[in-house]
Amino acid sequence: MIGVIATRPGGPEVLELASMPDPEPAEGEVVLRVRATAVNRADILQRRGNYPPPPGASDVLGLEAAGTVERIGPGVTGWSEGDRAMALLSGGGYAERVAVPAVQLMRVPDNLNWILAAAVPEVFLTAWQALGRQARAGTGDWVLVHAAASGVGTAALQIARELGARTIGTTRSHEKAAFIEDLADHVVVPGPDGFAEEVTRITGGHGADVVVDLVGASYLRDNIACLATGGRVALIGLVGGTRTEIDLSELMRRRATLVGSTLRARPVDEKGEIVASFAEWGLPRLADGRLRPMVHDMIPLTRVADAHREVEADRAVGKVVLSVESDALIPM
Ligand SMILES: NC(=O)c1ccc[n+]([C@@H]2O[C@H](COP(=O)([O-])OP(=O)(O)OC[C@H]3O[C@@H](n4cnc5c(N)ncnc54)[C@H](OP(=O)(O)O)[C@@H]3O)[C@@H](O)[C@H]2O)c1
């Protein structure tokens, strides 16, 4: 089969289509015939050499895929050849086939084509883990989502709304702000003084009960400054840096919780739990349109470097999806 690897650490030009053996399904796994996959920030870090795959994961890039179940490994129940599935992966999605633990699969609702289905797993499961499980957002809460026009951000705004919360999204771009007006109750473009004052004003002085932070160091001080008493900050992205200084008394005074999470390095059974809980809560909502995967662009896998450039330039509103058409794939 053909899959995409980074031949060395570097820019998008190091991505290559390479010939490789088809994967075999191990105990508890299925092999998925991939019809579409999608780009995540982590793929860019991995390509640059800053985010190696966890032990045992494929060198082929790609943290999610949608396709049909082609082969079934020993011990797998509940799945049959030909079933439509979307998969959370530790790697290997940018390829014609990928082996994946069956517990990391979700059924594709009938209303989603391959492109939409490939835009679901990584961002909806990440946002669900942060909002539904860690920060426990609920009815009436004010939820502040940073980088709200991103893949994870657009998923988080929709999940928060479905949980009954009131939402505020931030983006640095006025153009992107217009695109997410329908998804958020309020959109804030932080100025030179940050966003804390504006969030405090919007919430009538209450502050944010939950912050879904995809930015990290550069936003932490403001996050705490506009946090409600008992507020929770779920830290899941670090595009704004990894180190900063905060006044811990501000956390204590607010009885605040700061919690972090990554999805990729978790053991299979933990990923399985997250997938199962989202499948129960989220699949009916995807099926009737209450949740909608946001796709910025669909690019063939043969142009994977262009897809990386688009994401790296912060141009995307939602996901950049890669379509995998076997006939078009020729190793470089
Ligand atoms: N912890 C986990 O398990 C997990 C899983 C998946 C993703 N993530 C993280 O979640 C974040 C979003 O992922 P994604 O794939 O959805 O990303 P994405 O669509 O590529 O969007 C990232 C967005 O972050 C904003 N941004 C970039 N640099 C920034 C800066 N210095 N300050 C403020 N905002 C900045 C930009 O939005 P604007 O231009 O609109 O401001 C950019 O479009 C990433 O940080 C990713 O690593 C974490």
Side-chain angles (χ1 to χ4, degrees):
M1 70 163 190
I2 305 291
V4 175
I5 51 166
T7 49
R8 60 188 184 283
E13 69 286 352
V14 306
L15 296 173
E16 267 189 18
L17 296 178
S19 273
M20 56 191 70
D22 281 347
E24 291 290 319
E27 175 88 27
E29 290 185 343
V30 307
V31 167
L32 203 64
R33 167 80 172 75
V34 178
R35 304 297 298 270
T37 176
V39 181
N40 286 284
R41 278 279 146 167
D43 306 344
I44 294 186
L45 296 178
Q46 181 173 338
R47 191 206 70 216
R48 290 183 191 151
N50 299 331
Y51 191 43
S58 167
D59 282 340
V60 173
L61 282 84
L63 299 181
E64 58 197 331
T68 43
V69 172
E70 195 175 69
R71 292 179 63 193
I72 298 192
V76 173
T77 54
W79 289 93
S80 309
E81 282 173 25
D83 283 349
R84 278 161 39 92
M86 40 196 184
L88 178 71
L89 305 170
S90 304
Y94 293 12
E96 289 178 283
R97 292 180 179 81
V98 64
V100 51
V103 294
Q104 292 174 211
L105 295 178
M106 293 181 286
R107 291 187 192 280
V108 179
D110 289 342
N111 59 321
L112 298 190
N113 61 23
W114 296 125
I115 301 304
L116 292 168
V120 168
E122 182 71 17
V123 298
F124 276 92
L125 291 166
T126 298
W128 171 246
Q129 162 62 19
L131 274 168
R133 291 164 60 98
Q134 281 194 309
R136 302 173 322 281
T139 309
D141 278 348
W142 279 105
V143 172
L144 172 63
V145 177
H146 293 309
S150 68
V152 179
T154 52
L157 286 176
Q158 296 181 64
I159 288 174
R161 186 175 274 182
E162 278 302 303
L163 289 168
R166 296 167 286 181
T167 56
I168 306 171
T170 70
T171 163
R172 297 165 307 162
S173 147
H174 287 279
E175 201 186 337
K176 286 198 220 169
F179 278 103
I180 57 167
E181 267 172 2
D182 289 350
L183 295 183
D185 296 322
H186 302 267
V187 180
V188 172
V189 178
D193 295 332
F195 53 83
E197 251 181 54
E198 184 64 357
V199 169
T200 306
R201 188 192 64 74
I202 290 169
T203 59
H206 176 81
D209 298 289
V210 171
V211 181
V212 179
D213 187 13
L214 311 179
V215 176
S218 57
Y219 278 15
L220 185 58
R221 214 173 298 177
D222 259 23
N223 282 339
I224 296 167
C226 67
L227 202 60
T229 302
R232 290 85 72 196
V233 179
L235 178 62
I236 49 175
L238 297 169
V239 283
T242 58
R243 285 170 188 271
T244 187
E245 196 173 286
I246 55 167
D247 179 346
L248 292 173
S249 71
E250 298 284 325
L251 278 180
M252 284 169 71
R253 210 156 50 75
R254 289 177 172 76
R255 303 194 290 282
T257 305
L258 174 59
V259 59
S261 174
T262 61
L263 204 50
R264 188 181 194 182
R266 285 172 187 257
V268 169
D269 55 348
E270 276 184 34
K271 286 182 181 159
E273 259 178 50
I274 297 169
V275 166
S277 74
F278 179 75
E280 188 184 343
W281 182 88
L283 287 186
R285 288 171 166 83
L286 282 164
D288 66 16
R290 280 175 287 169
L291 298 177
R292 279 184 299 128
M294 299 286 290
V295 173
H296 171 77
D297 203 358
M298 190 272 281
I299 295 178
L301 190 64
T302 45
R303 289 181 40 225
V304 61
D306 289 339
H308 272 221
R309 287 186 190 102
E310 193 68 11
V311 171
E312 225 164 342
D314 290 340
R315 280 192 289 265
V317 176
K319 301 282 296 180
V320 173
V321 173
L322 295 161
S323 63
V324 182
E325 305 286 346
S326 273
D327 295 349
L329 296 176
I330 301 163
M332 288 160 148

